Amino acid sequence: MNLKHLISMRDLSRADIHQILDTASSFKDVLKRDIKKVPALRGKTVVNLFYEPSTRTRTSFEIAEKRLSTDVVNFAVSSSSVTKGESLFDTIKNIEAYGVDFVVVRHASSGVPNFIAEHMDVSVINAGDGMNEHPTQALLDAFTIRDHKGSFEGLEVAIVGDIIHSRVARSDMIGLLMLGSQVRFVGPPTLLPPQPPPGVRMYYSLEEGLTGVDVIIMLRIQMERMNKSFFPTTADYFSHWGLTKERLARARKDAIVMHPGPMNRGIEISSDVADGPQNVILQQVTNGLAVRMSVLYHLSGGEYHA
Ligand code: NCD
């Protein structure tokens, strides 16, 4: 795989995705060992540049980097000179001056990872840019789906809720279509695109949208990206669009329930489903670590053998 950056799922071929998932499986085994560290990226430096809040993505990138023996710098935006008005351009040029190898970036504006890749001589990993993409989330979702379902061909996957504001939905859609799954967008018309993207079916009823699906990916209402109200109240949203046990019964018996987190229980999902037997939500979190190790490893040239 000859890849310098991972900014969009479109940067990857179907074979690349499978290769990243295969390597992630080997790293998952490494993570079960007594000593969970490999020297694959020793001597490299990674800067984690998170301009937006994050729990899972930031933590798992940092642990992944440490498991690969890189030097890690966490750039804390709130205590940096960004608060004194330093521009993104000047900030990244200063970081570049230290000779770092990777920048992992999350930003509220779409396109920031591309901007950094254009102006800085480093490998860039997109950890979520605005409403655009979140490729490592799509890869860990694919890993989790493959783990449970064996393959992607013919699987019916429902992505449910606030699709238009979701970078997870976009990256999942691109990846899953490439891998041969059937993708449905399910939600209220105000939170779905006006036209379905090529290859996607849209459902404006949760009951219909869940019927017969193998995989359900629930999304949070991303209030921080809304400048007006897209539904009356959160209680009203839950009554129409919340995933409950009764609604889950519409899906296949062996369907899995996924969520990228952070979850808002009682808004898009009920606690009995979030903690129920079909949920694989914490497995996604565990898999995120191995998948991010794999991405860093492949972007650095992929020469070490675990
Ligand atoms: C998502 C994100 O930040 O895009 N979370 C994540 O990375 N696991 C989804 C969200 O914020 O709702």
Side-chain angles (χ1 to χ4, degrees):
M1 196 183 308
N2 189 13
L3 198 68
K4 183 166 181 191
H5 309 292
L6 179 61
I7 295 177
S8 163
M9 284 303 281
R10 295 187 209 280
D11 296 337
L12 302 172
S13 67
R14 186 180 180 134
D16 292 338
I17 299 178
H18 278 290
Q19 204 180 336
I20 290 172
L21 303 190
D22 291 343
T23 308
S25 289
S26 318
F27 281 130
K28 212 174 159 181
D29 293 337
V30 169
L31 295 171
K32 288 180 196 140
R33 293 181 193 162
D34 237 13
I35 294 169
K36 300 178 175 57
K37 214 168 162 128
V38 289
L41 267 75
R42 193 162 52 196
K44 305 273 184 197
T45 305
V46 185
V47 176
N48 297 317
L49 200 56
F50 279 68
Y51 282 84
E52 257 196 344
S54 176
T55 299
R56 283 147 289 269
T57 307
R58 213 199 61 72
T59 312
S60 67
F61 264 113
E62 184 173 348
I63 300 175
E65 291 150 7
K66 290 181 169 163
R67 299 280 191 254
L68 293 167
S69 312
T70 53
D71 294 322
V72 180
V73 178
N74 289 311
F75 180 87
V77 173
S78 59
S79 57
S80 74
S81 290
V82 169
T83 59
K84 299 180 189 167
E86 191 163 40
S87 69
L88 175 66
F89 181 80
D90 287 325
T91 305
I92 61 171
K93 287 317 255 185
N94 278 268
I95 292 173
E96 184 179 34
Y98 294 119
V100 304
D101 302 287
F102 290 95
V103 168
V104 176
V105 62
R106 166 169 287 194
H107 201 285
S109 301
S110 303
V112 164
N114 303 71
F115 179 86
I116 295 177
E118 270 166 33
H119 292 99
M120 210 175 157
D121 184 22
V122 289
S123 274
V124 178
I125 302 178
N126 181 4
D129 65 326
M131 301 190 285
N132 183 36
E133 281 219 46
H134 192 355
T136 59
Q137 180 71 42
L139 290 167
L140 77 87
D141 287 349
F143 186 97
T144 307
I145 293 171
R146 196 176 79 166
D147 213 23
H148 283 270
K149 301 291 169 192
S151 68
F152 298 96
E153 281 81 15
L155 282 184
E156 286 280 350
V157 182
I159 306 179
V160 183
D162 183 7
I163 307 275
I164 48 168
H165 299 106
S166 175
R167 53 199 178 202
V168 175
R170 188 188 302 259
S171 290
D172 275 343
M173 173 197 78
I174 297 168
L176 290 167
L177 289 176
M178 219 187 311
L179 291 164
S181 298
Q182 309 287 322
V183 176
R184 307 176 177 189
F185 284 170
V186 185
T190 48
L191 294 176
L192 260 52
Q195 298 293 328
V200 174
R201 273 166 303 140
M202 298 213 296
Y203 291 80
Y204 302 127
S205 142
L206 186 52
E207 282 73 12
E208 271 177 48
L210 293 181
T211 303
V213 299
D214 302 281
V215 177
I216 304 170
I217 300 175
M218 297 305 296
L219 298 172
R220 180 177 66 89
I221 301 289
Q222 290 138 99
M223 304 278 191
E224 73 277 21
R225 302 197 186 109
M226 296 181 183
N227 53 7
K228 49 186 181 287
S229 208
F230 287 75
F231 51 88
T233 62
T234 50
D236 183 74
Y237 184 86
F238 182 73
S239 75
H240 289 92
W241 299 103
L243 184 61
T244 57
K245 244 162 81 178
E246 295 68 37
R247 288 176 170 149
L248 177 56
R250 296 272 189 151
R252 287 176 57 112
K253 273 201 172 54
D254 60 353
I256 53 171
V257 176
M258 303 172 65
H259 196 307
M263 263 192 294
N264 287 150
R265 292 168 186 259
I267 300 181
E268 75 271 11
I269 192 165
S270 67
S271 272
D272 54 0
V273 174
D275 304 323
Q278 285 165 271
N279 106 78
V280 296
I281 297 167
L282 287 174
Q283 294 173 36
Q284 289 173 267
V285 176
T286 305
N287 294 337
L289 184 51
V291 164
R292 290 181 172 121
M293 285 175 78
S294 173
V295 167
L296 283 156
Y297 166 77
H298 282 290
L299 291 184
S300 75
E303 272 155 27
Y304 170 83
H305 295 285

